[in-house]
Amino acid sequence: MRRAIATVSMGGSLVEKLEAAASVGFDGIELFEADLTYFPGKPEEIAARARDLGLVIVALQPFRDAEGLSESERARMLDRLERKLDLLGRLGTGLLLVCSQTRPDTTGDPERLVEDLRLVADRAAARGARVGYEALAWGRHVNDWRLAWDIVRRADHPALGLVLDTFHMLVKGSPSAPLRDVPAEKIFLVQTADAPAISMDPLFWSRHYRCFPGQGELDVESILRELLAIGWDGWLSHEIFSDDFRSTSARQAAIDGMRSFFFLEERLGRPSLPPRPAVGGIGFVEFVEASERAEAFRASLRALGLPRTHRHRSKRVELYRAGGVAVVLNLEEEGFPHAFQLLHGLSVAALALETDGAEKARLRAAALGATPFVSPVGAGELVIPAVRGVAGSLLFFLDPPRPGATFHEIDFVPDPDPSPAPDLGLVAVDHVAQVVPPAELPSWVLFYRTLFGLEPAQRTDLVDPRGPIVSRALESADGAVRIVLNSSPAQTSAAGRFLARTAGAGAQHVAIACRDLLAAAARIPPELKLPIPENYYADLEARFGLERDFLDALRAAGALYDRIGPGEFLHLYTRSMNGFFFELVERRGGYDRYGETNTPVRLAAQAELDRSPAEELTLMRAV
Ligand code: MG
Ligand code: MG
């Protein structure tokens, strides 16, 4: 299979799109005609530019309203066709994509459709070109690939073949098994696209929700398996119409598109990437803060059961550890941490993932086009490979821990003046929640999925009193690494306010698992906790029929509760610090969600605390 991308899948000018596609290694592009219309030069210049960049122009698309027209309109259509075939010649491409008719004032008589497409194919063949027929899910008469195949089969013309589009097939629920009866050489092009599994009008769904395979929730892979089974080995082309994609750079879309192909190839058992590292958990979370403001954050860490145990050998960096949780507080006044702090204030500047090989992870990240980052290190200090993650923060790759050689044993010394903290029975970082702009959400889903094999759970739509939030959780197979990505189109939602306040800092909360949440809660000062309204507990009692004592204990702890089958989840939140907050969680009986049902309560409580005159004003303007 050869990899192409439709120009409609990228933002920017046509030349930028070609350059971006070539820079990440695509073999071809599918030219969307509007892109050419907006191009100020001649078609031959695009043909030459593509050739120079090593790109094949796989097809020109789309040619609409080809079939089922009245006699007079058919004559005009053929004139239009001749002009497009001229263009094909000038572009040096041999395939014109014809999509199925959508107009209501046309005939759906199959004999007529066959005749029209045979005519179109004849005209193309006379110029040495071919025509690929694609069934749009919202086609008037042909809205399923099997109907398109029936027409192509009956037309029986060597210059007429099928264009398959995984989006159209999957949203219609069209089976792909009958592909086994289609000769591979009659499939001229396969367009790949994914989407979130939400039910809506296919046209609207397509225009606004398409995404690269691996970013959505449709089973693109099963179609490709059928194609491989019949020995098909042609062009695959990502065709993604999306408002969000057009608002990101051509380069980012091209990187995501290539990651998507790597993802598909690996799933199909034809990997072209270095092996995937296994991840074992979050090794440390690194915060940055201005040193003159650091005392408040230090106090919060201690109150959450994290004593300061170590100091860095050469830098103004402190380490707080309890159980399997390690928090680094970086107070450096130069370099990356300082720049991050100046831009975002108190925030998470880095996450470190435990892997089964830091170098293995680095190689994989490089092959996926991640941006490497090299930290300056002192003599004898550990060089930890890193790449840029969400919001320009860092993602470190740690080697498996070996006695005497962990990051803190090499780079840190025990604190001569350790600050004690109560034992809250902390176990490990349970999950990290990151906020990203809506246009970046699919991109980061694919990043974590391809780099570490984290699997996304179904998209969740959260209710915030001030705007919708879309949430996607990604988890390693054993649940040791869980990352929740949140995004909101509303500036007034919690996610939107966080982005505005911190200039897009990335991590909004870090959840820490503890052995006994109610016991831990009793040792946390009440003023640190997010206040939960009394009404919540009345509702909880009604929903779950909890024992009086247990309900009282939850209320006293300021904790929230969820239950699914045998699984129970107890959690509480701290008040936020520069928009960031901690969560303490206890999972019981194999509970594997995040207490999403309680998120509206948390969001409302936070919105209540956030109410400042300036925000009220914004809110009033928004209303
Ligand atoms: Mg298509
Ligand atoms: Mg959480």
Side-chain angles (χ1 to χ4, degrees):
M1 291 186 287
R2 285 180 291 173
R3 307 173 187 133
I5 185 167
T7 55
V8 73
S9 314
M10 296 177 275
S13 72
L14 182 53
V15 171
E16 284 166 354
K17 294 176 189 205
L18 297 184
E19 288 170 352
S23 75
V24 301
F26 277 101
D27 307 307
I29 55 121
E30 188 188 344
L31 188 56
F32 190 64
E33 197 182 348
D35 280 316
L36 189 64
T37 310
Y38 308 146
F39 174 66
K42 293 193 176 71
E44 288 83 355
E45 290 170 40
I46 287 301
R49 192 81 188 99
R51 206 164 40 241
D52 292 348
L53 290 165
L55 291 170
V56 172
I57 301 178
V58 174
L60 176 69
Q61 67 124 318
F63 186 75
R64 301 181 201 276
D65 302 328
E67 76 282 39
L69 301 168
S70 67
E71 283 303 327
S72 61
E73 281 198 295
R74 178 154 73 174
R76 282 206 297 279
M77 179 277 290
L78 290 171
D79 287 346
R80 199 157 48 85
L81 175 67
E82 291 296 339
R83 288 204 298 279
K84 297 307 165 194
L85 293 171
D86 287 343
L87 190 53
L88 233 58
R90 297 175 70 186
L91 289 166
T93 180
L95 181 63
L96 181 67
L97 185 154
V98 172
C99 57
S100 62
Q101 183 62 265
T102 56
R103 279 171 44 181
D105 57 339
T106 51
T107 176
D109 172 14
E111 295 305 325
R112 196 35 218 292
L113 302 184
V114 167
E115 184 191 317
D116 287 344
L117 282 158
R118 197 181 280 142
L119 193 58
V120 168
D122 267 338
R123 296 288 183 102
R127 312 279 205 102
R130 301 189 305 164
V131 170
Y133 188 47
E134 178 190 18
L136 301 179
W138 51 89
R140 183 76 186 178
H141 316 292
V142 174
N143 59 6
D144 185 299
W145 77 267
R146 290 168 296 177
L147 294 172
W149 168 236
D150 192 49
I151 289 166
V152 167
R153 187 181 53 77
R154 288 163 63 180
D156 191 24
H157 194 295
L160 181 65
L162 205 53
V163 171
L164 297 174
D165 181 317
T166 62
F167 177 85
H168 292 304
M169 294 171 77
L170 293 164
V171 298
K172 292 287 290 185
S174 312
S176 51
L179 280 171
R180 288 170 208 165
D181 301 325
V182 179
E185 65 276 10
K186 290 305 275 184
I187 301 171
F188 288 179
L189 175 66
V190 175
Q191 295 174 322
T192 35
D194 196 349
I198 37 181
S199 189
M200 63 169 76
D201 168 63
L203 179 57
F204 190 79
W205 199 355
S206 175
R207 290 280 180 270
H208 305 288
Y209 288 92
R210 277 190 186 226
C211 54
F212 290 117
Q215 294 181 331
E217 298 163 285
L218 304 182
D219 187 10
V220 177
E221 205 181 305
S222 66
I223 297 175
L224 299 184
R225 282 190 196 285
E226 294 292 352
L227 289 166
L228 291 177
I230 60 168
W232 180 82
D233 194 26
W235 283 100
L236 273 180
S237 173
H238 288 317
E239 190 202 22
I240 319 296
F241 307 97
S242 160
D243 315 320
D244 285 345
F245 281 60
R246 280 190 286 273
S247 65
T248 56
S249 70
R251 166 95 183 153
Q252 188 58 52
I255 289 174
D256 286 346
M258 192 49 90
R259 283 179 187 164
S260 172
F261 274 128
F262 289 146
F263 167 80
L264 287 172
E265 288 162 4
E266 200 159 62
R267 300 280 276 227
L268 294 167
R270 304 176 158 201
S272 49
L273 282 178
R276 190 168 63 208
V279 285
I282 306 244
F284 65 83
V285 180
E286 181 168 339
F287 288 85
V288 288
E289 174 62 305
S291 49
E292 66 274 16
R293 287 195 299 270
E295 200 43 46
F297 188 63
R298 287 189 183 106
S300 301
L301 291 175
R302 286 193 297 264
L304 280 171
L306 285 160
R308 188 174 64 215
T309 57
H310 292 74
R311 286 176 190 266
H312 198 276
R313 285 180 193 281
S314 64
K315 297 174 184 169
R316 294 185 60 185
V317 177
E318 305 170 359
L319 177 64
Y320 295 75
R321 287 178 72 226
V325 182
V327 166
V328 169
L329 176 58
N330 193 319
L331 306 168
E332 285 277 282
E333 288 180 347
E334 57 184 37
F336 168 80
H338 187 54
F340 201 86
Q341 186 272 318
L342 285 178
L343 182 59
H344 305 294
L346 168 71
S347 52
V348 175
L351 292 178
L353 261 70
E354 289 167 356
T355 70
D356 63 348
E359 178 60 13
K360 187 174 167 187
R362 191 192 65 76
L363 288 173
R364 172 96 170 177
L368 283 163
T371 310
F373 182 85
V374 182
S375 306
V377 294
E381 291 172 10
L382 209 56
V383 179
I384 310 179
V387 294
R388 294 283 185 168
V390 165
S393 65
L394 302 182
L395 196 57
F396 286 110
F397 308 135
L398 297 174
D399 272 323
R402 280 181 295 121
T406 59
F407 78 93
H408 67 271
E409 287 163 312
I410 296 173
D411 289 1
F412 289 78
V413 290
D415 198 315
D417 178 26
S419 68
D423 180 3
L424 299 192
L426 305 185
V427 178
V429 171
D430 183 89
H431 62 273
V432 176
Q434 298 178 319
V435 177
V436 297
E440 293 184 19
L441 182 60
S443 187
W444 290 112
V445 167
L446 194 58
F447 172 83
Y448 288 122
R449 199 172 192 187
T450 49
L451 182 48
F452 301 116
L454 303 190
E455 271 307 300
Q458 210 186 0
R459 154 198 168 109
T460 312
D461 290 282
L462 301 171
V463 182
D464 179 315
R466 298 210 213 157
I469 296 178
V470 175
S471 183
R472 294 209 66 193
L474 293 118
E475 301 180 1
S476 60
D478 62 357
V481 175
R482 300 172 194 255
I483 300 207
V484 181
L485 294 170
N486 291 325
S487 164
S488 173
Q491 288 179 356
T492 46
S493 70
R497 295 199 304 280
F498 174 75
L499 289 182
R501 171 181 294 169
T502 63
Q508 191 187 19
H509 78 260
V510 170
I512 298 173
C514 63
R515 281 192 294 275
D516 181 341
L517 185 101
L518 295 176
R523 309 195 71 176
I524 299 174
E527 61 274 16
L528 190 63
K529 294 182 209 168
L530 181 71
I532 302 300
E534 175 56 35
N535 290 333
Y536 169 75
Y537 295 99
D539 177 56
L540 207 55
E541 188 177 20
R543 263 195 296 155
F544 294 114
L546 300 177
E547 295 284 335
R548 190 80 233 164
D549 287 354
F550 184 52
L551 192 69
D552 288 344
L554 289 172
R555 184 189 290 113
L560 304 164
Y561 177 81
D562 187 28
R563 188 170 72 204
I564 301 174
E568 291 181 292
F569 191 56
L570 286 75
H571 57 145
L572 65 82
Y573 298 98
T574 67
R575 289 178 182 247
S576 48
M577 305 157 247
N578 191 39
F580 175 87
F581 53 94
F582 284 102
E583 179 181 10
L584 228 54
V585 310
E586 181 192 343
R587 294 177 184 272
R588 295 180 179 174
Y591 181 94
D592 65 355
R593 303 291 307 176
Y594 299 84
E596 296 92 327
T597 140
N598 294 320
T599 306
V601 179
R602 190 254 292 169
L603 292 169
Q606 288 173 328
E608 208 47 48
L609 289 179
D610 275 358
R611 228 166 257 273
S612 67
E615 288 196 1
E616 286 291 13
L617 198 64
T618 317
L619 194 63
M620 280 163 62
R621 286 204 193 104
V623 171

